[in-house]
Every structure is written in structure tokens, then in C-alpha cells.
Amino acid sequence: MAKTVVVSFATDYDIFDPDYVRDPAPMWEQLRSSCPIAHSDRYGGSWLPTRYADVTAIAHDVEHFSSRNVGVVPPDELDDGMLPAGLPPISVDPPLHTWSRRLLLPWFSHTRVAVYEGTTRALCAQLAERIAERGSGDAAVEYAQQIPARVIAGVLGVPPDLADTFTGWVRDVLEFAHDAERRNLGRNELVAYLMTQIEQRKSAPGDDLISSLLHTEVDGEPVPDAHVLGTAALTLIAGVDTTWSSIGSALWHLATNPGDRERLVAEPDLIPVAIEELLRAYSPVTMARIVADDVEVAGCPMKSGDRVLLNFPAANRDPEQFPEADQVIIDRSQNRHVAFGVGIHRCAGSNLARMELLVAIQEWLKAIPNFSLDSSADVTWAGGQVRGPRTIPVVVG
């Protein structure tokens, strides 16, 4: 059935609306001044806070807001059955969250991330050089989308040549979350593949996250297979689309803002600071919470069972928190952004994501210091759970 046109984002927003996906910032600005916490009946109904203070307060309030389902659209019965343990630690509450996150954190520590930096840099240099030699290419499909899938393959101990397959599954689950048939198909294939990998690791463990979880005990008991499956699925889903969206958004910005690009080429030491600003300005992820007990936020009476969309991208554009919030200031010194979330569910893989983004921009600018959008082709964006460019046609020089 065709979707109806959005008349008012305050009472009928649609986070999959093409105009919202293409450029949501003007809508956030309008909502902050008129209805800072909007509501919509679409996709089962949800609330949408747009102010930094409201978003962070809800994220910290684990008593009233549960993480038992973080999807921006409600799951169907098949969703629940395929991943019986959910996606721990992101989709569980304390105390289960506490130990499940503790098992995951060592795999994304600074020490562990350093192990992946060399291969990531070599991959980025190779991919960028191919586009440089050709003189044109797609900075999203041929570059940004190729990097995280291969890095996460290393974490999970699965073949990196399946990167395009992983990318397809993740897009099905996140980008097409409002298309139940496509979402279920991608999710089923992903789960089936990981279940096979889990069985293989039981008899032939390796130096990877799946093997580590299978051979770890919590309170004297092995980690259940369902939990291992959920955590492996989370690592793949959360570690791929979010990071490639951030890399792609950064490259889109540099392609459309030559002054910033030229400055980073001339001052490469500024790139780490610029990356934090690009993360703030183009934060990709919106996460959901389920109201556990009736609560009122900023005058909005939220009922038990309601879905609340933690709009981290909007929070990062709040002028009450960030001066000139809609301007990308690549040397912004004060930058307490929440691109990786906030509270107990803050992204466990933020160290890895930062490394990938840093290396990706460094190696791209080394190989392609001068580039712009190809005016003969369109840039396309995806939104919903994760917003970012899906095609970025560029020309070199």
C-alpha cells in the first residue's frame, strides 16, 4: 500500500520519508521550536525527541526506558523467533546488559583496534588508488562500503571476500526495516550463516569473537548459543552500516566543501578533530527505547509500551548545545557529540569506528586530494535506523 504524504512532522512524521532522509536538519529545527518531542502513528507509533537535553536524559533513564527492542519499527513474530536472545548487549537491560557488554568490550579496546589498523590502512590505500587511477568512481559503493565489512569479518573470523554479501544482509535489516519481507529475508540469511559459523567454532576455535564467546563462562556456566548468535549478529549489523555511513558522509562533505578538503590536505594533523565534527554533523544512527513505565518527558505523557526514537542526529544539531550547530566547523574545539550514543548503551565499537573513519579519510586524501561530485549522476541517501549516502559518484581532479 502506498504511503500517505506527511502533512505535519509534529504529528505525523515519517523517518523514511524521502525529504526527511535527504535533509532532515530543517525539520529538526522546526520541531525544536514548535514541538520538541513529536509523535507519529506510523510504523506502530513512536515519539521523536529533537533536543539534546531530552535525548540524553531518556538515554540515561534505564528505569523508565527499556532497550529490549531498539529498532525504529516494531518487530514481527518472526523477528523475535530468529534471534531469541535479541542483540546483546544493545537490546538488553541490566543486569544482563552488564556482563554481556563486559564480554564484548575487550574486542574493541584501543589495544585490539590497533591490531586491525595496518590491514585497514592497506585496504583503504588499495581501494582509493583504484579510483584515482580510473579518474572517477563511487566513493560510497567502491570505498566506504568496502571497509567496515572487511574489518568486521576479521573480528568475527569469517572470510573477507564475503564483504558484499554481508553488506547486502545489513542493508536488508536496517535500510529496509519498513519492508518486512526484505528485512526478514536478509535477517534469515544472516542468522543461518552465523549459526553455521558457531557450530564450526565449537570444534575448531580460532582467534575471533565467536570463538571467544563460545569458550567463555559466566558465573560458572557457558555463554548460551543464542547469546553468542545475538552478539555476533549485532557486531555485524552495528559494525558495518553505521561506519560506512559515517565514512560516506564525510567524503560527501569533502566533495561538496572544497575549502574544508583543501585545509585537511594542507593540515593533515587536523583530521582527527575534523572527524569528530563530521561525526557530530552527520551522525548516522537513531535508536529506539520502549517505555517501561508511564512517564512524562517535557510535558509529553508517554505510556508503557510506547516506542521512543532516540534521535541522536537531531541532538547533535541542537543550537542550545552546539553554537552554529548546522555549520560544519572542522576545527571545533568543544564537541560533546552523541554520535555514538550516551549512557550504558554507548557504542561498544566506537574505538574501532573512529579508527576506520580516520584511516579511511587519511588514505583517501593521500591518493585523491582533489575531487568533486560527478554532476552526471545522483547522490542517493538511505535513512531510518541508519542515515548515510549509498552512492557518491565522484570525479578526480
Side-chain angles (χ1 to χ4, degrees), residues 191-214:
V191 167
Y193 178 80
L194 290 177
M195 289 177 66
T196 299
Q197 294 298 311
I198 288 171
E199 289 304 314
Q200 291 178 356
R201 298 305 195 293
K202 289 180 178 179
S203 57
D207 182 20
D208 57 78
L209 175 60
I210 295 175
S211 298
S212 175
L213 293 174
L214 283 172

Side-chain angles (χ1 to χ4, degrees), residues 303-334:
K303 302 299 182 182
S304 177
D306 284 359
R307 186 175 302 272
V308 181
L309 306 187
L310 288 184
N311 196 344
F312 295 117
N316 282 334
R317 293 291 191 107
D318 186 347
E320 291 295 319
Q321 179 70 24
F322 303 97
E324 299 179 274
D326 282 331
Q327 299 297 314
V328 177
I329 303 171
I330 60 172
D331 59 358
R332 188 186 293 268
S333 57
Q334 300 296 319

Side-chain angles (χ1 to χ4, degrees), residues 147-172:
I147 299 163
R150 286 173 166 77
V151 173
I152 292 298
V155 175
L156 294 176
V158 299
D161 56 7
L162 288 176
D164 288 338
T165 301
F166 299 152
T167 297
W169 290 338
V170 172
R171 289 189 66 186
D172 289 344

Side-chain angles (χ1 to χ4, degrees), residues 184-240:
N184 289 337
L185 179 61
R187 191 260 342 279
N188 292 350
E189 292 180 350
L190 183 154
V191 167
Y193 178 80
L194 290 177
M195 289 177 66
T196 299
Q197 294 298 311
I198 288 171
E199 289 304 314
Q200 291 178 356
R201 298 305 195 293
K202 289 180 178 179
S203 57
D207 182 20
D208 57 78
L209 175 60
I210 295 175
S211 298
S212 175
L213 293 174
L214 283 172
H215 294 84
T216 296
E217 292 186 349
V218 175
D219 295 332
E221 297 293 332
V223 178
D225 285 5
H227 188 102
V228 177
L229 172 62
T231 299
L234 169 67
T235 302
L236 182 57
I237 294 170
V240 172

Side-chain angles (χ1 to χ4, degrees), residues 2 4 14 40 44 68 99 176 179 188 198 226 252 297-298 315 322:
T4 57
D14 182 354
S40 176
R68 64 179 183 267
W99 66 259
F176 299 95
D179 181 339
N188 292 350
I198 288 171
W252 175 83
V297 180
F322 303 97

Side-chain angles (χ1 to χ4, degrees), residues 263-285:
R263 187 175 178 190
L264 293 185
V265 170
E267 304 176 49
D269 289 345
L270 184 59
I271 293 178
V273 175
I275 282 174
E276 296 306 314
E277 176 67 348
L278 292 166
L279 281 166
R280 180 197 69 82
Y282 303 108
S283 305
V285 180

Side-chain angles (χ1 to χ4, degrees), residues 46 50 63 66 73 91 259 271 299:
S46 61
T50 54
E63 179 181 354
S66 170
V73 297
S91 68
I271 293 178

